[in-house]
Amino acid sequence: MNNSLKVEYVLPSDLGKNSRFAKFRDPSGQLRFSEAQKSVYLNNPFVSGRDFPIRIVGIVEDVVIGGISPLPLQIVADQKVYDVTAGCAIYVMDEYRNTGLGMDLPRLCMEQVADQVSLNAGLSARGRRLCKLLKAGVFDFTQYLYVRNSSSLVRQKLSGWKAVVVTTMWNVVAVAQRTILRLYGNWKLRGLQIKYLSVDDESVLQKICALIAKDTHRFRENVNSEFLRWALECDFLCYGVCKKMLMGIFKGDDLIGFVFGKSYAHKTSARIIEWQMVREYESLED
């Protein structure tokens, strides 16, 4: 670790106006939390107590130069439940990114937060190499990108008539993609029913948890109704009011799968939070 780096743990009690961090300069906003962000960390059902840090920050010469948020979860591996810390929202200021501090923060999250396992996702190619150096296991998962409107993506690189032309062409392809996926999905789901369920119905959540408990994958999240409700209520991306969706997949009267998701009225994307199919229907998950 860089010798000039100090590490501080930000506790929920440090979020007030008289915070002990008031003396530090924070140019990148590592110590600023919106109400939505506070809710994500403080209402997590796996937080063991109010002394659990919501941010670990690196400080050099009284300047906060980066941070990482430990997010407590549980996973099941080989049918055994483990408490884990998922490191999320890692950031290091540009001028410090070649000093090794980006590796120090995840390491501190793993070593000093008293859990058995650290879990990190969405790693870059460099991040994967760093995690391997830390003797971490790396698991590959398929990631799907479903584009509804390309305008916001295109305008990051282009403007004017070029942006209009590329956006139009991309959206035509996106419409074709959605049509093909819809037809393919309808074909694979023939004989099954998809129903919208109430996210506020505790009995529905209990049925879903019972379905998840039957999962025989070697690795999975340990999910209960409290966790599912938290995942739906919290605004992880701070986009504002969202529409919560819970869809059940039925064969006759039997629940064989579900999909949790969110969509934002003023955004061009939606997010799938959790999904599950019983073992014999796993091929339908695509």
Side-chain angles (χ1 to χ4, degrees):
M1 184 169 63
N2 187 296
N3 290 332
S4 64
L5 172 69
K6 294 190 300 183
V7 174
E8 294 282 353
Y9 288 78
V10 183
L11 306 178
S13 58
D14 295 320
L15 298 181
K17 292 182 179 180
N18 298 320
S19 169
R20 60 193 175 96
F21 292 99
K23 61 182 180 182
F24 299 120
R25 290 197 299 116
D26 184 22
S28 59
Q30 298 301 299
L31 299 173
R32 294 194 294 270
F33 293 86
S34 68
E35 290 303 317
Q37 289 171 318
K38 292 178 186 178
S39 177
V40 169
Y41 299 116
L42 299 181
N43 295 329
N44 185 331
F46 294 129
V47 171
S48 57
R50 289 302 180 183
D51 58 347
F52 191 92
I54 63 174
R55 194 90 175 138
I56 302 174
V57 295
I59 300 170
V60 174
E61 297 178 352
D62 293 333
V63 178
V64 180
I65 55 87
I68 188 171
S69 288
L71 195 65
L73 300 168
Q74 288 184 342
I75 62 169
V76 178
D78 295 329
Q79 305 304 309
K80 184 177 179 181
V81 177
Y82 293 89
D83 293 323
V84 307
T85 296
C88 64
I90 184 172
Y91 176 82
V92 176
M93 291 173 61
D94 289 349
E95 56 265 44
Y96 292 93
R97 290 186 180 179
N98 292 323
T99 64
L101 301 186
M103 185 169 68
D104 286 336
L105 289 169
R107 181 173 59 81
L108 290 166
C109 190
M110 286 188 278
E111 292 179 355
Q112 298 192 35
V113 177
D115 285 322
Q116 299 166 313
V117 181
S118 179
L119 182 68
N120 296 274
L123 299 172
S124 64
R126 180 179 294 181
R128 287 168 62 95
R129 291 195 296 271
L130 292 175
C131 285
K132 286 182 178 179
L133 288 174
L134 294 169
K135 307 302 183 183
V138 177
F139 302 91
D140 292 316
F141 293 89
T142 302
Q143 201 169 37
Y144 293 97
L145 179 63
Y146 187 67
V147 179
R148 294 167 59 179
N149 189 307
S150 63
S151 178
S152 60
L153 298 174
V154 172
R155 293 188 183 280
Q156 294 178 20
K157 300 292 184 181
L158 300 174
S159 61
W161 67 268
K162 292 181 180 179
V164 173
V165 171
V166 173
T167 297
T168 302
M169 294 175 63
W170 192 343
N171 286 347
V172 168
V173 174
V175 170
Q177 178 199 40
R178 290 199 297 272
T179 301
I180 292 171
L181 287 174
R182 188 177 297 112
L183 292 173
Y184 176 68
N186 289 339
W187 176 75
K188 292 198 76 172
L189 293 173
R190 63 193 185 280
L192 304 179
Q193 289 183 301
I194 299 177
K195 302 177 183 178
Y196 282 92
L197 306 174
S198 172
V199 298
D200 298 316
D201 188 335
E202 182 65 25
S203 65
V204 169
L205 296 181
Q206 292 295 342
K207 289 179 181 179
I208 289 174
C209 289
L211 180 66
I212 294 173
K214 297 177 182 178
D215 187 349
T216 56
H217 285 95
R218 185 180 178 189
F219 303 102
R220 64 176 176 85
E221 278 188 295
N222 189 35
V223 175
N224 55 33
S225 60
E226 190 177 6
F227 174 85
L228 292 176
R229 198 181 300 281
W230 167 76
L232 281 168
E233 293 296 336
C234 287
D235 185 5
F236 292 88
L237 301 181
C238 304
Y239 283 165
V241 177
C242 65
K243 178 182 178 181
K244 296 175 288 187
M245 299 170 291
L246 171 56
M247 293 173 285
I249 303 171
F250 292 84
K251 185 173 181 62
D253 294 328
D254 296 328
L255 178 69
I256 65 167
F258 72 92
V259 176
F260 269 118
K262 291 182 181 180
S263 65
Y264 297 85
H266 61 294
K267 292 288 176 178
T268 57
S269 63
R271 302 175 61 231
I272 294 177
I273 300 171
E274 298 285 348
W275 75 93
Q276 177 78 37
M277 297 288 288
V278 296
R279 192 73 174 180
E280 56 267 35
Y281 293 98
E282 282 180 1
S283 62
L284 300 178
E285 288 186 351
D286 292 341

